[in-house]
Structure formats: structure tokens, C-alpha cells
Amino acid sequence: MNRPLVIAHRGYSSRYVENTQAAYDGAIAIGADVVETDARLTRDGQVYACHDANLARIALNGEARAIADLDAAELDAVALMGNERLSPLPVTLTRIAPRRPVLIDVKTPDLILIEAVVRDVLAHGAIGRAWIGVRDVAQMRRARELEPGLKLLAFLPDYAQADAFEQAGAQVFRVWEGEVAQPAAARVLRDKPTWVTMGGKGTPCAVGDTTPERLARILDLQPRGVLVNDPLLMIAPGTSGIAATPSST
């Protein structure tokens, strides 16, 4: 039996500092199929990988300013745990995309951000190696206008909007683990190519975290992919009893 795609949430973030090159390289080294990275826009129009709107949770020195208030040079100087640095999207696409597909989670709905993300994907020849995930239908339409060949994922803000996102260009749809039993989410999972994010909403786990038992319940639903902080839960022999061959998406 083929397993779903193993999508390393913010890289191998259960072991390394999230959204850093070390986390991305670590995910590839243990065999993740796709590396997920976040995307926010700096003051000078550059795309950097940061989940939160500000640095308060991750900066080593307590820096709490917003990503949008800093320019690229200022962000490059911010030290994280282990003296790691946040990754600019061009660096991620240059280093990671040739080895693994990259899922870019676009964190805000503004068109200027999606335009910058598409700009970087095109500039680095990563159209076939990058998935772009958005939460806004207009943003997805804009991405499709800029490049019809993009791979687009819908981080659905409302499962009832799945058809609207599909019409705008979505090829894959995200469902939260804790919501798979909701009727609208179950329909998405049944009718459309779906990737499931473990943990978070409706669960006792942080986003991306899980247990072998929780993971097994999701795998029984046969999603196309699973976003998880510890890819070894799906990859290591004997960990979850699944075959090591990923399904295609």
C-alpha cells in the first residue's frame, strides 16, 4: 500500500528550528517528500519564511518587531536559536527545490505578497517544483493569472468554499486533522485531492504534532498528503506500519 506524501511542516521542525535551512535540509535527509515553508513580505518587498507576523516567539534576543516592518538586511541579522537565520524564499528555492518540491504557505491575503512569491518561483525556475498555498480566492486567481502552470493548494478558510477555490485554480485542498469528521470537511476529503495538517484545531496537539495512534486514524482516510513536524513518524520502518512508497499527487 502506498503511503501519502510526507510533507515536512516548516521543515523537520520537531528537531530543528522551524523555517530554517537546517530544518529543510534535515527533512530531505530523512526522506520527506515535500518541504513546507511559510511566506511573509518584508518592508522592502522580499519574501521570508516566518510563520508568525512578528519575531517574538522565535528571535533569540527577544526581538518582537513585525516582519512587515523590517527590511531583508535587518531580518538577516536576527539570530534564532542555535544561531540559525530565517530563510529568504530565493535561497529556499535555490537549495531545496532541486531536491524536493517546496510547499509555500502564503500567510497573508494581500496581492503584493502573492506577486512576490510568484516572482521568486519564476525567477528560480521552480514552477514544477513549488506548490503555492493560499487562503484567499482572489489571491489564487491572481497567482493563476501571473502563471497558469503554477501548482496551487487551497488552505481552505471555509470548507464550503472548496468549489470556488477549485474554479480559481486549486489542485489540492488542505483539511485539518481535528475537522475531518465535520460534514463539509469530509466531503472535501472524499471528493478532492486532500492534504491533512496534523494537530492544531480541534486536537490536543500543537500544529504539526501528532502521535502514532492519531496519525494511523488519519492514514485510514487515505489523504494524498500529510503535514507533520516529525516526518519520521511516517518514514521510519515500523513507526506506523505503512509502506515507504509515496503516492503521487
Side-chain angles (χ1 to χ4, degrees), residues 130-186:
W131 285 90
I132 300 178
V134 304
R135 294 166 174 80
D136 181 81
V137 171
Q139 197 178 52
M140 181 164 283
R141 289 195 193 100
R142 181 59 178 151
R144 180 65 74 195
E145 289 171 359
L146 292 168
E147 175 46 62
L150 290 171
K151 295 176 179 289
L152 298 174
L153 177 143
F155 284 108
L156 294 168
D158 181 341
Y159 297 116
Q161 293 183 321
D163 288 342
F165 272 90
E166 187 168 37
Q167 291 168 10
Q171 296 136 294
V172 176
F173 303 79
R174 191 278 297 275
V175 169
W176 288 97
E177 174 200 355
E179 297 178 343
V180 294
Q182 295 180 8

Side-chain angles (χ1 to χ4, degrees), residues 19-249:
N19 281 321
T20 62
Q21 290 300 317
Y24 305 150
D25 287 336
I28 291 172
I30 62 169
D33 301 306
V34 180
V35 175
E36 191 245 12
T37 181
D38 292 314
R40 289 187 180 274
L41 200 65
T42 66
R43 185 176 60 195
D44 55 346
Q46 303 306 305
V47 182
Y48 272 68
C50 189
H51 176 272
D52 299 354
N54 62 56
L55 295 164
R57 181 173 60 87
I58 59 174
L60 192 59
N61 65 355
E63 170 70 70
R65 283 187 292 168
I67 303 297
D69 293 336
L70 298 168
D71 61 30
E74 290 172 311
L75 266 184
D76 287 341
V78 174
L80 312 179
M81 294 294 296
N83 205 34
E84 293 288 346
R85 296 294 194 274
L86 290 176
S87 178
L89 182 57
V91 175
T92 301
L93 293 172
T94 298
R95 288 185 51 176
I96 305 305
R99 296 182 287 162
R100 291 292 191 280
V102 174
L103 168 59
I104 305 165
D105 182 348
V106 180
K107 304 307 293 186
T108 61
D110 43 302
L111 296 183
I112 190 171
L113 175 54
I114 196 67
E115 290 167 357
V117 169
V118 174
R119 172 199 70 201
D120 287 349
V121 169
L122 293 175
H124 292 83
I127 293 176
R129 303 292 291 174
W131 285 90
I132 300 178
V134 304
R135 294 166 174 80
D136 181 81
V137 171
Q139 197 178 52
M140 181 164 283
R141 289 195 193 100
R142 181 59 178 151
R144 180 65 74 195
E145 289 171 359
L146 292 168
E147 175 46 62
L150 290 171
K151 295 176 179 289
L152 298 174
L153 177 143
F155 284 108
L156 294 168
D158 181 341
Y159 297 116
Q161 293 183 321
D163 288 342
F165 272 90
E166 187 168 37
Q167 291 168 10
Q171 296 136 294
V172 176
F173 303 79
R174 191 278 297 275
V175 169
W176 288 97
E177 174 200 355
E179 297 178 343
V180 294
Q182 295 180 8
R187 283 194 294 272
V188 173
L189 190 58
R190 182 192 66 217
D191 297 340
K192 301 184 187 300
T194 304
W195 293 354
V196 174
T197 296
M198 301 305 297
K201 295 181 179 182
T203 78
C205 302
V207 177
D209 283 346
T210 191
T211 64
E213 295 75 21
R214 299 188 73 90
L215 182 59
R217 288 195 289 271
I218 292 301
L219 295 177
D220 284 343
L221 300 174
Q222 299 184 324
R224 298 287 187 90
V226 175
L227 283 80
V228 63
N229 293 339
D230 185 358
L232 280 180
L233 288 172
M234 295 178 66
I235 295 170
T239 298
S240 56
I242 28 183
T245 302
S247 61
S248 59
T249 297

